[in-house]
Amino acid sequence: MEKEGRYALLVDGVPYLMLGAQVNNSSAWPAMLPEVWPAIEHLHANTVEMPVYWEQFEPQQGRFDYTVVDTLLAQAREHQVHLVLLWFGTWKNGSSHYVPEWMKLAPERYPRMTGADGRPVDSPSPYAKAALEADIQAFTALMRHLKAADPRRTVLMVQVENEPGTWGSVRDYSPAAQKLFEEPVPAKLLAALHKQAGAASANWQEVFGADAEEFFHAWSVAGYIEQVAAAGKAVYPLPLSVNAALRDPLNPGRPPSYESGGPTDNVIDIWKAAAPSIDVLTPDIYMSDSARYLKVLELYRRRDNALFVPETGNSPAYARYFFAALGRQAIGFSPFGMDYTGYANAPLGATRVNQESLEPFALNYRLIGPMMREIARLNFEGKLEAVVEEKGKPSQTLELGPWRATVSYGAPHFGFGNNPPGNPEPVGRALVAQLGDNRFLVAGFFCRVDFQVSDAASGNQRQFLRVEEGTYENGAFRPIRIWNGDQTDWGLNFTSAPQVLRVWLGTY
Ligand code: DGJ
């Protein structure tokens, strides 16, 4: 649901925040699930992203095997979590390694792309009609089955394919693709991009110049996936997503230095025009520096696109970005590789996955879990602000109408924080949400939050009328104590404890 460019994922009719975790690629097999659930429990995740493998789902053409999907549904319910299913279909990370064996053994019928040098590229051709038809049949079978087997909506969303596009070639150079490339750019795309055809033939090269090949490939891949998505949605209209292998948001370079054809930030408009059945285009963020991370969040949070981070690194440096996503009205956040199967995808994420490495993420969900519905609602109403610590920036401010909140890092709890040094590692994070006039919900880790009157010239100074710490039970705030004295005289100090405050401000 959308309101004034803000989004909410409605579950049981009210906004819901996906406190997510994605399992490793080969972990959604019944034999591996005992290594998955303990990690999910430790995290306090409420939503698990699990792949559905085409090779498992359709071992012989037209014969579908629902047993694994049914196991995922049953075990997710037992563990009281929702699922986002990832359809590992025609594309998985730019290749098609998850298509069934009967497809792999018929490369003429299900062709790969041809590179500029005429050699095959390990990426499926988006013009392969038989593959498209097969993917439509399989994906539709999956959606039809979910409709029948999941009336209680354990599955919230389905991702169609995984990081589609191509590594190693900007586009398909097969004769059939070349012919299309020389044809006029479709009027629908020109209209969506507010472009004039210009030259007489108005082919891709003429209209888009240096971007022509990449845009052509994005249009082709998105067009294929649209047909798969539309067919699935027609039988069961769940929200659908497509994830992107990103390009560098600050120094993007050119493909094939990044994956071509997927929903990278420069072709989001093309994807929106080509694939209207896809509700949300999502960034897989494996860049731990804050400049890049925050830029990616800005690029994917758009009036026409809800922000959802379906994958991000699982090393501790990434944990704080959950708050950065919240501060940009994200509907969900999901670190990758969250299970105890023994696999670790360093350098993208942690070198080892265990309770200790998951702890910084568990902190987030332990804090937000009990008030998840309230956070989702406040965010949907545009009332929540959040920040994360950035290296070399020991304090930050949030503007909240007549109030300014200052968030600082690394100062001792007792004493002025005029020159906070920053934490040894930038792990701080804070959120402030407006509950009413001069009333705020405040929470965070490894930081201090204080408030000042925005209008310094007024001469008014803030006083804490009351600072209540409480817990959430069944969505309702229950105060357990009032903070005062050392706990408020120098600002509100947050440690690794999952503390939530309700703060009433006044002036003197
Ligand atoms: C991004 C992909 O979408 C994931 O499936 C996985 O391969 C990670 N990269 C790397 O672990």
Side-chain angles (χ1 to χ4, degrees):
M1 179 157 112
E2 186 263 354
K3 186 170 75 187
E4 294 161 14
R6 294 188 301 272
Y7 288 85
L9 177 69
L10 300 185
V11 176
D12 303 324
V14 270
Y16 181 92
L17 173 64
M18 290 183 278
L19 307 174
Q22 184 169 154
V23 302
N24 279 299
N25 287 166
S26 308
S27 297
W29 289 93
M32 303 320 291
L33 294 178
E35 315 304 326
V36 169
W37 297 119
I40 301 304
E41 276 161 23
H42 180 67
L43 281 167
H44 292 79
N46 66 15
T47 305
V48 185
E49 294 181 316
M50 303 249 199
V52 174
Y53 316 113
W54 192 356
E55 61 185 344
Q56 177 282 322
F57 187 68
E58 194 181 3
Q60 288 156 25
Q61 188 161 19
R63 195 177 70 71
F64 298 105
D65 177 351
Y66 302 107
T67 54
V68 174
V69 172
D70 287 342
T71 303
L72 300 182
L73 288 174
Q75 294 200 15
R77 288 172 191 148
E78 247 169 62
H79 290 85
Q80 302 186 334
V81 295
H82 283 284
L83 292 174
V84 171
L85 294 181
L86 317 172
W87 172 239
F88 282 13
T90 299
W91 281 273
K92 162 70 173 80
N93 296 18
S95 296
S96 52
H97 298 172
Y98 280 86
V99 301
E101 215 172 297
W102 51 265
M103 290 179 74
K104 287 181 178 161
L105 293 172
E108 309 75 32
R109 198 165 151 67
Y110 308 107
R112 287 185 171 77
M113 283 180 21
T114 304
D117 59 2
R119 289 155 58 98
V121 175
D122 191 15
S123 185
S125 167
Y127 316 106
K129 289 212 164 53
L132 171 61
E133 196 39 49
D135 200 337
I136 289 174
Q137 292 306 323
F139 187 67
T140 308
L142 172 64
M143 296 302 279
R144 189 174 294 117
H145 183 71
L146 290 180
K147 184 177 184 197
D150 189 29
R152 53 194 268 198
R153 293 228 172 180
T154 296
V155 178
L156 299 179
M157 191 184 284
V158 179
Q159 179 185 288
V160 192
E161 319 295 342
N162 190 85
E163 291 193 348
T166 301
W167 290 98
S169 182
V170 184
R171 67 171 175 98
D172 190 357
Y173 294 87
S174 66
Q178 187 58 32
K179 189 163 167 289
L180 289 171
F181 184 65
E182 285 162 15
E183 283 177 7
V185 175
K188 187 173 138 198
L189 178 59
L190 291 175
L193 299 182
H194 311 293
K195 278 244 175 209
Q196 302 294 333
S201 68
N203 69 23
W204 290 82
Q205 195 64 57
E206 282 159 0
V207 176
F208 295 116
D211 292 322
E213 300 199 304
E214 182 184 5
F215 286 13
F216 171 71
H217 196 43
W219 176 259
S220 303
V221 173
Y224 180 113
I225 293 177
E226 166 62 16
Q227 294 180 69
V228 176
K233 210 166 203 173
V235 299
Y236 185 34
L238 277 188
L240 301 178
S241 67
V242 172
N243 61 333
L246 301 176
R247 57 184 207 151
D248 186 320
L250 302 180
N251 304 300
R254 290 210 153 263
S257 68
Y258 58 85
E259 192 182 6
S260 178
T264 47
D265 67 81
N266 55 326
V267 295
I268 291 178
D269 289 337
I270 295 178
W271 268 81
K272 291 283 175 190
S277 301
I278 299 298
D279 300 277
V280 50
L281 300 173
T282 61
D284 292 349
I285 318 182
Y286 294 95
M287 306 167 187
S288 62
D289 66 292
S290 58
R292 285 188 171 74
Y293 206 105
L294 301 180
K295 180 72 183 173
V296 169
L297 296 181
E298 291 303 335
L299 289 167
Y300 282 82
R301 168 234 212 170
R302 302 171 25 134
R303 279 195 83 86
D304 62 356
N305 197 59
L307 180 62
F308 171 36
V309 181
E311 284 183 39
T312 197
N314 63 356
S315 54
Y318 287 96
R320 70 194 198 277
Y321 293 124
F322 169 64
F323 275 61
L326 282 187
R328 289 161 182 78
Q329 287 139 12
I331 59 169
F333 180 86
S334 183
F336 177 87
M338 306 304 254
D339 61 50
Y340 296 149
T341 54
Y343 185 81
N345 72 351
L348 297 183
T351 45
R352 285 185 61 185
V353 179
N354 52 31
Q355 272 213 4
E356 194 190 333
S357 76
L358 297 186
E359 187 55 25
F361 297 91
L363 275 188
N364 291 335
Y365 293 176
R366 240 183 258 137
L367 172 72
I368 300 296
M371 56 175 171
M372 172 277 280
R373 293 284 190 176
E374 176 150 9
I375 294 293
R377 178 184 61 78
L378 287 164
N379 235 340
F380 184 46
E381 291 171 0
K383 294 190 174 147
L384 188 143
E385 303 283 338
V387 284
V388 299
E389 182 174 2
E390 297 181 63
K391 235 187 167 67
K393 290 190 199 165
S395 70
Q396 294 160 323
T397 52
L398 293 171
E399 300 301 331
L400 305 150
W403 295 100
R404 173 172 305 140
T406 306
V407 184
S408 53
Y409 306 102
H413 295 170
F414 189 91
F416 292 113
N418 288 345
N419 289 307
N423 289 306
E425 285 301 319
V427 292
R429 45 204 120 144
L431 69 82
V432 180
Q434 183 126 27
L435 298 176
D437 288 345
N438 309 317
R439 277 179 59 220
F440 296 95
L441 182 153
V442 186
F445 294 113
F446 313 112
C447 65
R448 173 187 292 186
V449 181
D450 205 345
F451 292 85
Q452 298 84 36
V453 175
S454 293
D455 180 8
S458 69
N460 289 336
Q461 301 191 59
R462 75 104 182 92
Q463 70 168 327
F464 289 121
L465 297 179
R466 185 208 288 242
V467 177
E468 278 180 355
E469 180 188 342
T471 55
Y472 274 81
E473 278 164 30
N474 301 321
F477 184 78
R478 199 175 63 79
I480 54 172
R481 63 169 170 161
I482 288 179
W483 282 21
N484 207 336
D486 289 349
Q487 279 65 55
T488 57
D489 289 348
W490 312 103
L492 311 171
N493 290 291
F494 292 93
T495 60
S496 63
Q499 290 169 322
V500 188
L501 305 179
R502 289 200 166 196
V503 178
W504 280 257
L505 298 175
T507 55
Y508 62 92

